[in-house]
Amino acid sequence: MENFYLGVSIFMCLLVLLCLYRVLYGPTIIDRIVGVGAIGTKTLLVLVLMGFIYDRIEMFLDISIVYAILNFIGTLAAAKYFEGRGEI
Amino acid sequence: MEIVKAISIGMIVIGCFFFTTGTIGLLRFPDFYSRMHATGKGDTLAVLISLTGLSIYHFAHHGAILDSLKILLIAVFMFLANPTATHAIARAAFRCGVKPWTREGTK
């Protein structure tokens, strides 16, 4: 079962590399924010799978909860900043 | 026990499928709003499905009820947080004057 989790997390990392294209070449800044958000969601799954691979479920679950919250707050902060600035 | 393993593997594979569709949507769509629409929905559903698959397997295999509930907590949190973040960034973009893509090209 661990090999399956390892395969899935490697596949997730490949998807993260694809999302990196949007982060690097995104025409506008907010495309980059959406790309980073997508990468954050995938990293969340990789974190939980790492917990299953290394058999330290509790530690990695707490890390992924914090990561999900921080990713959410980061996107909200960027949105609030751009609303205040009024132009992209 | 084998059925539970098959179910959880199936759910994780379906989750991976929706992750790929979200990523393809992020790369291929012509406009900011459609890209965000793809990742907002695709990734949320993918996280939801694969995390429930993981928690089912963890509960059946180790019988640890608290950890499985914690995995479901992450899934429910992502189910609430991701659309909110997508809405916030979409409203910010709309108020900053980002025009949605139209067939004749952005006016």
Side-chain angles (χ1 to χ4, degrees):
Chain A
M1 201 57 174
E2 270 67 21
N3 296 335
F4 174 67
Y5 293 147
L6 200 60
V8 170
S9 31
I10 289 169
F11 181 67
M12 282 300 129
C13 295
L14 289 180
L15 289 181
V16 164
L17 289 180
L18 281 177
C19 290
L20 269 183
Y21 169 80
R22 182 56 60 202
V23 174
L24 291 177
Y25 294 106
T28 57
I29 185 73
I30 34 177
D31 287 315
R32 294 191 170 97
I33 292 170
V34 169
V36 166
I39 290 174
T41 325
K42 293 177 181 58
T43 326
L44 174 83
L45 188 70
V46 170
L47 270 173
V48 177
L49 288 176
M50 284 302 132
F52 272 83
I53 290 173
Y54 292 122
D55 247 348
R56 278 192 181 68
I57 312 276
E58 299 78 23
M59 186 178 83
F60 276 91
L61 279 187
D62 299 340
I63 296 174
S64 52
I65 288 179
V66 169
Y67 192 82
I69 294 172
L70 286 180
N71 184 28
F72 172 54
I73 288 175
T75 313
L76 284 188
K80 198 162 179 51
Y81 168 69
F82 279 112
E83 276 203 28
R85 210 166 76 149
E87 52 89 23
I88 291 283
Chain B
M1 189 51 198
E2 284 313 314
I3 301 170
V4 169
K5 191 178 270 194
I7 288 174
S8 75
I9 287 182
M11 285 177 106
I12 293 173
V13 166
I14 293 170
C16 288
F17 166 72
F18 281 113
F19 265 126
T20 32
T21 48
T23 315
I24 291 168
L26 180 74
L27 296 178
R28 291 278 302 169
F29 280 151
D31 163 73
F32 164 72
Y33 294 107
S34 41
R35 280 186 208 123
M36 189 187 48
H37 166 268
T39 54
K41 291 203 297 187
D43 286 358
T44 321
L45 181 63
V47 165
L48 205 65
I49 290 181
S50 36
L51 283 188
T52 35
L54 276 173
S55 75
I56 288 170
Y57 177 76
H58 184 58
F59 175 66
H61 194 69
H62 300 298
I65 184 73
L66 273 182
D67 289 338
S68 310
L69 285 182
K70 202 183 269 191
I71 295 176
L72 288 181
L73 169 75
I74 301 176
V76 167
F77 173 74
M78 280 310 288
F79 189 69
L80 297 175
N82 226 343
T84 323
T86 311
H87 166 72
I89 204 83
R91 198 182 64 170
F94 187 73
R95 291 215 174 132
C96 289
V98 177
K99 289 286 171 294
W101 180 81
T102 51
R103 192 162 303 283
E104 298 84 20
T106 318
K107 287 190 188 55

